[in-house]
Amino acid sequence: MNSVNLMRPIPKRSVGRLRSGLKKVSRLPVAGVRRVAKAETLNFWLTNRIPRVLLTRFIGWYSVRESEKLTRLSIAVWRLFSDLDLSESPVVKYRSLREVFTRPLLPGRRPIDPSMSSWCSPSDAILGAHGQVHAGIVFQAKGAPYALGELLGRNTPVASLEGWSFVTLRLTSAMYHRFHAPVNMRIHRVDYISGDVFNVNPAALKRIPSLFCRNERAVVHCISDSGHPFMIIAVAAVLVASIQLHCIPHRLSLALPGNCSFNCDFVADKGEELGWFEQGSTLIMLYPGGLRLGDGFSEDQRVQMGQSLLREVSAVHTPYTPIVSSD
């Protein structure tokens, strides 16, 4: 499928129609719209039984259109479905939806936990499934296992990850969409795996087997300053127009022809920005036995970027060795 021409302006007639439609939707009663959106079965069918790829490509095209009026109307519609709060950003006027998706934070809004033995949450998120890797299997929700090998692709020897742990971090559409280094670290490889764009909300995770393995994603191979290897898997979803990583020069999106890999040598300090999603989605962290999830965390709990999430409890285990190809 050919990629959408993102630089082509919207015809004036189309702008008028979009503006008219957005005005009508923005006048709907907020409480009623949110009740419908929270109806799990209906939400699942509305967000997963639509032409997902086509709609996601459209959002990628529409989100870069620069029009303050259209953006204001889009924000009004967005607020019907979510608790979007833009008060934490220094931006006053948004020219496009992409600027809203990728908005920065005011200084000091997300203090970074200073402990040397603590790893912070890489993003604002809702804590999802977490636990240990057993026989190459992890979970996307209670009673919903999936194979780690399918998630990570052919460049990662899954057998060497036995005994590692995982934690799932779900970013809603209204949240701050940038993600950051959980610890002083180095990125040495990124594997992009093309796929579908199913919604990744709880309703979909309960109903669609191996959902994370089906969706478009980027597997980021890292090592901490203390020598712990780990991975961050950025999983896209419906309406996520792209994944942007600062360690590579390529914007990862459905416009790419297929799977590809990038070797790199990118150093980041704890709390430094690594990239962003254009819309909400999911981060999965995979980490070795020398680390533990902090005390008191439970599923569905909200966490903020910079908040202590993991803690180092022992010396480095023998690290896995990723396969380096010439892709």
Side-chain angles (χ1 to χ4, degrees), residues 47-64:
T47 57
N48 288 296
R49 297 299 184 239
I50 56 175
R52 296 178 300 277
V53 172
L54 182 63
L55 185 58
T56 298
R57 285 178 178 271
F58 169 76
I59 290 296
W61 171 80
Y62 177 64
S63 68
V64 297

Side-chain angles (χ1 to χ4, degrees), residues 111-178:
I112 307 301
D113 186 275
S115 172
M116 295 296 291
S117 62
S118 170
W119 292 29
C120 67
S121 174
S123 68
D124 286 7
I126 297 173
L127 193 67
H130 55 277
Q132 275 198 310
V133 178
H134 291 294
I137 299 296
V138 293
F139 288 83
Q140 64 186 31
K142 186 176 180 179
Y146 64 94
L148 201 54
E150 291 183 29
L151 176 74
L152 302 177
R154 62 183 175 85
N155 287 337
T156 304
V158 175
S160 63
L161 306 181
E162 191 67 19
W164 279 38
S165 296
F166 72 99
V167 61
T168 310
L169 301 166
R170 182 169 64 88
L171 291 72
T172 69
S173 64
M175 286 179 172
Y176 171 63
H177 294 156
R178 301 188 182 211

Side-chain angles (χ1 to χ4, degrees), residues 88-103:
E88 291 188 312
S89 174
V91 182
V92 177
K93 291 184 178 180
Y94 294 93
R95 296 170 299 171
S96 69
L97 268 185
R98 176 180 283 180
E99 289 187 355
V100 185
F101 293 151
T102 62
R103 63 191 180 276

Side-chain angles (χ1 to χ4, degrees), residues 17-306:
R17 289 173 179 171
L18 279 170
R19 190 176 297 159
S20 175
L22 289 171
K23 280 183 179 178
K24 290 177 182 177
V25 176
S26 68
R27 293 178 185 137
L28 293 172
V30 174
V33 172
R34 290 193 179 178
R35 277 198 300 271
V36 171
K38 289 180 179 179
E40 189 171 282
T41 301
L42 180 60
N43 180 290
F44 172 77
W45 284 100
L46 286 176
T47 57
N48 288 296
R49 297 299 184 239
I50 56 175
R52 296 178 300 277
V53 172
L54 182 63
L55 185 58
T56 298
R57 285 178 178 271
F58 169 76
I59 290 296
W61 171 80
Y62 177 64
S63 68
V64 297
R65 302 301 98 198
E66 292 193 354
S67 167
E68 287 188 12
K69 289 184 178 179
L70 277 179
T71 302
R72 284 198 300 271
L73 285 170
S74 298
I75 290 171
V77 171
W78 192 348
R79 283 178 165 149
L80 290 175
F81 296 89
S82 70
D83 55 352
L84 178 65
D85 180 7
L86 302 179
S87 64
E88 291 188 312
S89 174
V91 182
V92 177
K93 291 184 178 180
Y94 294 93
R95 296 170 299 171
S96 69
L97 268 185
R98 176 180 283 180
E99 289 187 355
V100 185
F101 293 151
T102 62
R103 63 191 180 276
L105 290 174
L106 287 164
R109 288 288 180 164
R110 297 292 185 275
I112 307 301
D113 186 275
S115 172
M116 295 296 291
S117 62
S118 170
W119 292 29
C120 67
S121 174
S123 68
D124 286 7
I126 297 173
L127 193 67
H130 55 277
Q132 275 198 310
V133 178
H134 291 294
I137 299 296
V138 293
F139 288 83
Q140 64 186 31
K142 186 176 180 179
Y146 64 94
L148 201 54
E150 291 183 29
L151 176 74
L152 302 177
R154 62 183 175 85
N155 287 337
T156 304
V158 175
S160 63
L161 306 181
E162 191 67 19
W164 279 38
S165 296
F166 72 99
V167 61
T168 310
L169 301 166
R170 182 169 64 88
L171 291 72
T172 69
S173 64
M175 286 179 172
Y176 171 63
H177 294 156
R178 301 188 182 211
F179 44 92
H180 298 248
V183 68
N184 293 340
M185 58 178 280
R186 182 184 300 272
I187 298 174
H188 53 87
R189 185 177 180 82
V190 175
D191 295 326
Y192 171 75
I193 302 173
S194 186
D196 210 314
V197 283
F198 285 103
N199 198 330
V200 292
N201 62 10
L205 292 174
K206 292 175 184 177
R207 290 169 168 81
I208 302 176
S210 302
L211 191 158
F212 294 142
C213 305
R214 300 184 182 198
N215 273 15
E216 178 189 27
R217 56 202 181 276
V219 182
V220 185
H221 298 266
C222 319
I223 189 163
S224 72
D225 270 8
S226 57
H228 289 90
F230 67 102
M231 281 173 267
I232 299 174
I233 301 93
V235 184
V238 66
L239 307 185
V240 177
S242 72
I243 302 168
Q244 180 68 58
L245 296 170
H246 300 325
C247 61
I248 57 175
H250 307 278
R251 181 169 166 263
L252 304 178
S253 74
L254 294 173
L256 290 174
N259 299 352
C260 47
S261 298
F262 309 92
N263 295 319
C264 56
D265 186 17
F266 182 85
V267 177
D269 292 332
K270 186 177 183 179
E272 186 176 336
E273 185 180 304
L274 299 179
W276 62 69
F277 289 110
E278 290 183 18
Q279 252 275 23
S281 196
T282 297
L283 293 175
I284 302 168
M285 289 186 67
L286 281 167
Y287 52 92
L291 293 159
R292 294 286 184 274
L293 187 67
D295 296 331
F297 285 110
S298 59
E299 284 193 35
D300 299 325
Q301 179 177 339
R302 285 184 176 249
V303 296
Q304 288 191 328
M305 192 280 291

